[in-house]
Amino acid sequence: MTIWEIIWFALIAVLLVGYTVLDGFDLGVGFWSLFLRKEADRRGAIAAIAPFWDGNEVWLLTAAGATFAAFPPVYAAIFSGLYPALMTLLFALILRAAAIEFSGHAHGAAHGRWTAVFGVSSTLVIILLGAALGNLIHGLPLRADGEIVIGIPGILNPYAVLVGVLNLAMLATHGALYLRMRGEGEMRALAARWSGGAWVVYAILAVATGVITAFVNPAMLKKFLDTPLLWAAPALAIAGIAVTGLWLRRETVFPAFLASSVGIAGLLATAAVGLFPVMVPGLNPAYSLTAHNSANSTLTLQTMLVIVLIGVPIVLGYTIWVYRVFRGKADDMIQY
Amino acid sequence: MDAALLARLQFALTVGFHFIFPPLTIGLAWFIVGMLAWYRKTGDEAIRRIARFWVTLFGITFAVGVATGITMEFQFGTNWSQYSRFVGDIFGAPLAAEAVLAFFLESTFLGVLLFGWKRLSPTAHLVAGVMVAFGSTLSAFWIIVANSWMQTPAGYKLDPERHRAVLTDFGAAVFNPSTWPRFLHTVDGALITAAFFMLGVSAWFLLKNKQVAHAKVTLTMALWVGLAASVAQLGLGHWHAMQVAATQPLKLAAFESFYQDPDDRPGAPLLLFGIPDPKHDRVNMAVYLPQGLSILAFANPTAAVKGLNDFPRDEWPPIEMSFYPFHLMVILGMFFVAFTGLGVLLLRGGRVFTARWFLVPALLAIPLPFLTNELGWILAEVGRQPWIVYNVMKTGDAISVVVSATQILTTIVVFSIVYLLLFVLWIGALRHAMHAKADEVEPMPAAEAEGVTG
């Protein structure tokens, strides 16, 4: 195991955290749009994410690209092995992008149809990505040649579905908090109710999933018992989730949103340190794909690191600028 | 059906459809930068309104480009997993660089460009436009780097133990022999695409006698840029063809359906007319220009040009799928020069603005550069067959092992339905935006308005 392989494992985890925190809120808004009855409210919900969602989604594309660039066997095995799930995810992402764009040009019943597509596709993306992570923690039937052979029932095993639903509760909380920050009037009041309800489900599911994971992947539990320092990650998750709950009732929402982001980072960090260095655990551990046996050459990892170290700080810089430009009321973001 | 063939079909379908949109947005982005810079300099409200309309068309097109582009980031892994494993050490890097350096830039600033009209100063809005244009052009650069490496691989060595290609020189891999000619050829094609699109849409307004002042400005812009880009393409296309002759001689031979030198004179002749007959390895009704091919391909009238017969038959690309797209592309390229040249001549005295016989063909010509882009891409990819990485890996060895023909066929059906829907929606939204603009009341010039209210 070289330092470059460790750095790249961590970087991909960081990209997934960035994705989940940022695209997570606009996916969560998508889920809640299913419960908005008035066209004006649904328009307002989409307007609240309109200038941001595209940039947020790039975090997912970057995570996929980075996995290809750093650990091609992992990229190849997951994307071809989980073909039906990945293709469904892809079609959901395509339809979601189309729905956000074309709902802006539609009115009346057509607008209703597009926002329904937006809501359903957002929810599907959340559950599928959660289920994908669930499958990674659960372990996959890897062969000696690095291929995964699994059917749709295998992909939709109960543990994967549980993580999918946890993801939905988590991002529903996150998205409702975002709507509270950006929404106006009635939608703001609705989002306040939603964030409280979703948080309770989220907290219960997070604890339950944590306990069940110890049974599903005992090797993970052993790692935490062997290295007490690793408990920092679940501690961060618990702290984030708890502070979110404590801040929920206050008028100023941003601290709760920030705490929710910390909770997301903590949960993903828990999965990452629990798996490390394994990236795709095989049901037969000898065939597991790890950050070592799947890594690219050191030259490639170093070159890519330079690109990332130059690129990502710039990305963070202008992303913060853009969020500042579009702070406040979203009524000029309904239609460009 | 054969999984390898289906995987290729799916890739052709999804990339071919995606490739409708980026050339238009890359080209339009630079037109929009020009408009925003003009507005910033003059503060002319009319220019701002023009820019706003074109940003709307841009936004609609960009959205479809994004929606169909996600597919590409997935598809190497889903359908070409053996390829991904084999070339991941080299090929993944430009894709990741594209995401980090280009996707973020264009996607983040797109929101600013679309929604920033009330919130930003003209300077800041111009900067957002430049970032979108630069980001989308940079995105084209990185994806062409990746594709060029498949055409003319460099900067790597083979690791037989792990059966993969390993990077030895990042600079050589990025700037491989075909990167620059292919990048410039493609981006210039994007400018031509946007110019013809703007020309046709402006012609539509003039023909309807709506937003005439606006349309005159954009038609003039489109004609000048279109002419410059089309003329430049003669040189860039030629440069690219010379590079193909030097680095992929078999591909060039297939473009030209050149089996072997038909006469004993020094230098190879250029086929002016002919119908390839691959069943009999010959060209029927051939008319040749002596030494023409040697001059074009190597700038040397006596240079020897290798023919198809100089290569093993099992390495030949499909002949007709190379020959016809190549010649149609070249003919269309010539047409673009002639048509924009004619338009520029008609600009004198403003005759073009009322010349129906020019405006109607200008409207009808909108699809032609899109077609030309597709032809160029078909050539690049079909001409590389049977290799996925030229002379390194065969396409048939690159597919995903665990994905069945049925799974691929199913997703092909879904892609076809979803993409057809997207295409109809795209056209519908463009038309809607154009009609809305046509029905918009043009505000009176500032001086007259003051006279009325004061």
Side-chain angles (χ1 to χ4, degrees):
Chain A
M1 179 77 59
T2 69
I3 182 75
W4 311 106
E5 293 162 1
I6 298 169
I7 288 174
W8 270 99
F9 183 94
L11 272 177
I12 286 170
V14 167
L15 289 170
L16 287 174
V17 169
Y19 172 70
T20 315
V21 167
L22 288 173
D23 212 30
F25 75 70
D26 64 60
L27 287 165
V29 168
F31 168 71
W32 290 119
S33 75
L34 289 171
F35 300 89
L36 289 169
R37 293 271 160 263
K38 289 189 199 143
E39 183 177 326
D41 283 346
R42 291 196 303 261
R43 237 175 244 288
I46 293 182
I49 63 162
F52 311 122
W53 73 272
D54 190 8
N56 293 345
E57 196 176 89
V58 175
W59 288 87
L60 179 65
L61 298 186
T62 307
T67 310
F68 191 3
F71 306 105
V74 172
Y75 170 76
I78 293 176
F79 278 66
S80 64
L82 304 182
Y83 194 85
L86 263 293
M87 281 293 173
T88 312
L89 173 66
L90 175 60
F91 289 123
L93 288 170
I94 292 173
L95 288 174
R96 183 171 183 267
I100 293 172
E101 175 64 27
F102 292 113
S103 68
H105 305 280
H107 299 275
H111 187 265
R113 276 197 295 279
W114 275 123
T115 45
V117 172
F118 171 57
V120 171
S121 58
S122 299
T123 308
L124 198 58
V125 168
I126 296 172
I127 292 176
L128 281 169
L129 285 172
L133 181 63
N135 270 303
L136 288 186
I137 296 171
H138 176 273
L140 284 158
L142 270 168
R143 296 193 312 211
D145 61 357
E147 303 282 2
I148 297 167
V149 184
I150 189 171
I152 295 174
I155 295 174
L156 293 177
N157 64 74
Y159 179 76
V161 173
L162 173 68
V163 181
V165 176
L166 167 63
N167 201 30
L168 183 59
M170 176 173 94
L171 296 184
T173 308
H174 200 52
L177 289 170
Y178 180 79
L179 267 186
R180 274 176 71 186
M181 289 193 294
R182 302 305 302 254
E184 302 285 325
E186 196 184 337
M187 194 162 72
R188 197 181 156 93
L190 271 175
R193 283 224 312 277
W194 291 338
S195 62
W199 181 82
V200 174
V201 180
Y202 171 32
I204 293 170
L205 279 175
V207 174
T209 309
V211 173
I212 293 170
T213 303
F215 294 97
V216 168
N217 190 335
M220 220 162 162
L221 177 67
K222 187 172 180 303
K223 200 174 294 164
F224 280 99
L225 294 176
D226 290 349
T227 321
L229 187 67
L230 298 183
W231 288 100
L236 191 70
I238 292 166
I241 296 170
V243 174
T244 310
L246 291 173
W247 267 94
L248 268 176
R249 304 204 170 280
R250 312 219 184 171
E251 200 50 34
T252 320
V253 189
F254 189 65
F257 183 77
L258 216 57
S260 166
S261 307
V262 171
I264 291 170
L267 283 180
L268 284 170
T270 305
V273 297
L275 283 169
F276 181 83
V278 175
M279 302 190 78
V280 187
L283 294 180
N284 177 348
Y287 300 148
S288 291
L289 298 177
T290 70
H292 178 63
N293 70 19
S294 300
N296 266 337
S297 67
T298 302
L299 177 61
T300 295
L301 296 183
Q302 288 171 337
T303 310
M304 285 307 306
L305 186 61
V306 172
I307 291 174
V308 166
L309 289 182
I310 294 170
V312 170
I314 299 174
V315 169
L316 289 174
Y318 59 65
T319 302
I320 291 168
W321 178 74
V322 169
Y323 278 87
R324 285 179 56 87
V325 166
F326 290 104
R327 67 184 182 275
K329 287 187 182 183
D331 48 5
D332 61 337
M333 277 123 72
I334 287 176
Q335 172 68 53
Y336 53 83
Chain B
M1 236 202 310
D2 172 30
L5 185 64
L6 284 168
R8 287 178 63 187
L9 250 171
Q10 182 172 112
F11 203 81
L13 173 78
T14 52
V15 190
F17 186 74
H18 174 63
F19 195 44
I20 295 173
F21 308 99
L24 178 57
T25 47
I26 291 168
L28 270 188
W30 290 107
F31 275 101
I32 288 167
V33 165
M35 293 170 187
L36 292 175
W38 190 357
Y39 171 61
R40 182 182 165 272
K41 199 172 168 206
T42 62
D44 184 348
E45 199 54 31
I47 301 302
R48 182 182 149 101
R49 290 162 50 80
I50 291 173
R52 191 150 188 172
F53 170 68
W54 286 96
V55 165
T56 304
L57 300 191
F58 175 84
I60 296 164
T61 310
F62 198 95
V64 188
V66 167
T68 55
I70 308 165
T71 310
M72 309 329 302
E73 200 81 22
F74 277 51
Q75 210 161 14
F76 299 108
T78 51
N79 284 9
W80 304 94
S81 72
Q82 296 191 83
Y83 171 78
S84 301
R85 286 193 187 89
F86 184 76
V87 301
D89 202 50
I90 298 139
F91 192 83
L95 292 195
E98 185 184 19
V100 172
L101 302 175
F103 286 165
F104 274 120
L105 198 63
E106 55 176 347
S107 301
T108 308
F109 281 98
L110 174 74
V112 184
L113 180 65
L114 295 182
F115 297 102
W117 296 98
K118 286 185 195 154
R119 293 172 184 253
L120 291 173
S121 71
T123 307
H125 207 205
L126 170 63
V127 169
V130 171
M131 290 301 165
V132 172
F134 179 69
S136 52
T137 310
L138 192 61
S139 164
F141 175 79
W142 283 111
I143 199 62
I144 286 170
V145 163
N147 187 265
S148 296
W149 189 83
M150 298 164 77
Q151 304 284 349
T152 51
Y156 74 103
K157 68 175 193 293
L158 291 177
D159 172 4
E161 202 178 309
R162 283 180 62 177
H163 185 63
R164 61 172 188 171
V166 180
L167 184 70
T168 55
D169 181 343
F170 184 69
V174 169
F175 298 104
N176 64 71
S178 63
T179 297
W180 278 119
R182 300 179 81 240
F183 170 65
L184 295 173
H185 185 53
T186 310
V187 170
D188 197 41
L191 280 175
I192 296 172
T193 308
F196 269 78
F197 182 77
M198 189 172 273
L199 179 66
V201 171
S202 308
W204 181 82
F205 282 113
L206 291 171
L207 287 165
K208 281 181 75 88
N209 204 21
K210 293 276 174 67
Q211 304 290 341
V212 171
H214 161 176
K216 282 181 176 175
V217 173
T218 49
L219 187 110
T220 310
M221 268 176 100
L223 277 175
W224 281 110
V225 175
L227 178 62
S230 303
V231 170
Q233 195 65 299
L234 298 179
L236 291 171
H238 177 62
W239 180 31
H240 181 28
M242 288 183 71
Q243 166 260 310
V244 171
T247 59
Q248 295 166 287
L250 174 55
K251 191 174 177 178
L252 184 87
F255 288 178
E256 288 289 343
S257 193
F258 184 71
Y259 288 91
Q260 61 191 34
D261 200 337
D263 55 41
D264 309 331
R265 280 176 289 184
L270 180 71
L271 185 66
L272 291 180
F273 182 83
I275 296 167
D277 180 5
K279 277 205 185 95
H280 304 97
D281 285 357
R282 66 184 183 208
V283 179
N284 295 331
M285 300 175 11
V287 182
Y288 287 104
L289 176 71
Q291 297 182 315
L293 188 56
S294 294
I295 294 171
L296 280 181
F298 296 100
N300 172 4
T302 56
V305 179
K306 284 192 172 162
L308 288 160
N309 291 342
D310 293 320
F311 298 89
R313 182 174 282 269
D314 60 359
E315 292 183 8
W316 290 10
I319 307 298
E320 284 164 309
M321 278 282 280
S322 303
F323 178 88
Y324 288 112
F326 178 71
H327 286 86
L328 191 53
M329 177 184 78
V330 173
I331 290 166
L332 283 164
M334 306 280 185
F335 167 76
F336 298 149
V337 175
F339 194 74
T340 49
L342 177 65
V344 165
L345 287 178
L346 289 171
L347 274 175
R348 285 183 56 164
R351 275 180 296 161
V352 71
F353 302 129
T354 50
R356 282 190 72 87
W357 62 270
F358 183 82
L359 295 176
V360 172
L363 177 59
L364 297 176
I366 290 178
L368 293 180
F370 291 93
L371 172 67
T372 316
N373 293 333
E374 298 286 343
L375 290 169
W377 166 71
I378 289 170
L379 274 178
E381 301 298 281
V382 171
R384 195 191 58 226
Q385 302 302 326
W387 303 98
I388 191 164
V389 181
Y390 204 61
N391 287 337
V392 178
M393 185 187 210
K394 289 261 173 76
T395 308
D397 299 330
I399 59 164
S400 296
V401 195
V402 294
V403 177
S404 70
T406 320
Q407 284 177 324
I408 305 175
L409 190 62
T410 312
T411 46
I412 287 179
V413 173
V414 183
F415 273 121
S416 304
I417 296 167
V418 172
Y419 281 8
L420 190 66
L421 174 77
L422 286 180
F423 188 78
V424 172
L425 287 165
W426 176 59
I427 299 288
L430 290 180
R431 279 178 53 105
H432 180 78
M434 284 163 64
H435 282 281
K437 181 73 186 172
D439 296 338
E440 204 175 88
V441 182
E442 273 197 89
M444 276 176 281
E448 283 175 44
E450 269 169 37
V452 173
T453 54

